[in-house]
Amino acid sequence: MVADDHYLVREGTRRLLEMSGEVTVVGAVGDADELMDAVRRLGPEVVVTDIRMPGGQWRQGFEGIDAAHRIRAAHPGIGVVVLSQFADALFAFELFKHGTEGYAYLLKDRVGDLDELLGAIRAVASGGSVIDPKVVEGLLARRGVRGQQEALTERERDVLREMAHGRSNAAIARALHLSISSVEKNVNAIFTKLGLENSGDVHRRVAAVLAYLGPEPS
């Protein structure tokens, strides 16, 4: 299911996904109210929604996120990919505030990168999660390693960004042209430096990244 209030974006996304040969789009709607009704009627496996859409009683500017939470609460088997023009991590934290399983937060320019979008769809369909690496990259550049004496190395930051994108160690190895054993060493070093429990579970890895990169205390 695709949801976006801009007709050209909505239909362009629909066509792109259908041309991939991997996705059947069962419907495309233009606002949050229509989305909830269509999900109830058509039961898609995954929803791809804009972060902002018209609708009734929804928080302005957070319609897609609120719809994602309602969809997951009513239909836990449906994954949701939220597309956003905002690289500010506060929007991603808002999406993931009740948990990370079955959610993805991608910047809208990922629509033009079919592999990235399909990867997020596959991840949420299987209960995993994805956060756009650009969001993580911006936080790392601005903040560095919070509360740690020893900063992450450049390679560890590369691995952390790939982890945030929901990739397994094998996928990270392919993306960064490393051996799997090298990736495992970097992952272990990241968890050790950040004081996080090592876990092979994909959405827990993203949750760990989010917990570390959470908002500064006020």
Side-chain angles (χ1 to χ4, degrees), residues 75-130:
H75 312 279
I78 298 178
V80 183
V81 178
V82 174
L83 299 176
S84 172
Q85 62 268 44
F86 305 109
D88 190 330
L90 291 176
F91 289 94
F93 296 134
E94 183 69 17
L95 176 64
F96 293 115
K97 67 181 180 181
H98 300 307
T100 62
E101 184 175 355
Y103 292 114
Y105 184 90
L106 292 184
L107 297 183
K108 260 196 163 181
D109 57 11
R110 299 294 180 188
V111 172
D113 189 331
L114 185 57
D115 288 340
E116 295 281 358
L117 183 55
L118 289 174
I121 289 172
R122 293 188 204 101
V124 299
S126 62
S129 57
V130 171

Side-chain angles (χ1 to χ4, degrees), residues 1-217:
M1 176 74 61
V2 175
D4 196 296
D5 61 319
H6 293 285
Y7 175 80
L8 292 179
V9 175
R10 182 171 69 246
E11 292 305 312
T13 303
R14 176 213 284 265
R15 183 170 182 179
L16 188 68
L17 290 173
E18 289 182 333
M19 287 176 63
S20 73
E22 294 187 36
V23 176
T24 299
V25 179
V26 297
V29 298
D31 66 49
D33 296 326
E34 290 179 354
L35 173 59
M36 297 305 299
D37 179 64
V39 166
R40 178 184 56 80
R41 290 185 293 103
L42 300 174
E45 293 179 76
V46 174
V47 169
V48 177
T49 178
D50 191 10
I51 192 171
R52 288 184 170 176
M53 292 182 293
Q57 300 301 314
W58 303 84
R59 288 185 302 161
Q60 186 174 4
F62 293 88
E63 296 88 354
I65 288 177
D66 289 347
H69 291 158
R70 292 192 194 182
I71 290 168
R72 290 285 300 164
H75 312 279
I78 298 178
V80 183
V81 178
V82 174
L83 299 176
S84 172
Q85 62 268 44
F86 305 109
D88 190 330
L90 291 176
F91 289 94
F93 296 134
E94 183 69 17
L95 176 64
F96 293 115
K97 67 181 180 181
H98 300 307
T100 62
E101 184 175 355
Y103 292 114
Y105 184 90
L106 292 184
L107 297 183
K108 260 196 163 181
D109 57 11
R110 299 294 180 188
V111 172
D113 189 331
L114 185 57
D115 288 340
E116 295 281 358
L117 183 55
L118 289 174
I121 289 172
R122 293 188 204 101
V124 299
S126 62
S129 57
V130 171
I131 179 172
D132 198 293
K134 287 186 180 179
V135 176
V136 178
E137 184 175 358
L139 281 167
L140 286 171
R142 185 169 76 244
R143 300 180 56 185
V145 180
R146 183 183 68 200
Q148 300 295 326
Q149 294 294 323
E150 186 176 17
L152 299 180
T153 66
E154 182 177 355
R155 176 58 74 193
E156 288 163 357
R157 288 174 183 240
D158 290 340
V159 172
L160 179 60
R161 282 189 286 269
E162 296 298 322
M163 286 170 55
H165 204 48
R167 292 194 169 101
S168 66
N169 286 353
I172 293 172
R174 290 192 297 271
L176 298 180
H177 306 290
L178 298 171
S179 67
I180 293 179
S181 62
S182 178
V183 171
E184 290 172 348
K185 289 177 182 178
N186 279 284
V187 169
N188 289 333
I190 290 167
F191 281 115
T192 298
K193 290 181 180 181
L194 303 185
L196 300 171
E197 180 181 354
N198 193 351
S199 171
D201 185 79
V202 173
H203 63 262
R204 287 186 182 178
R205 283 156 64 109
V206 174
V209 172
L210 285 167
Y212 163 65
L213 294 173
E216 294 280 8

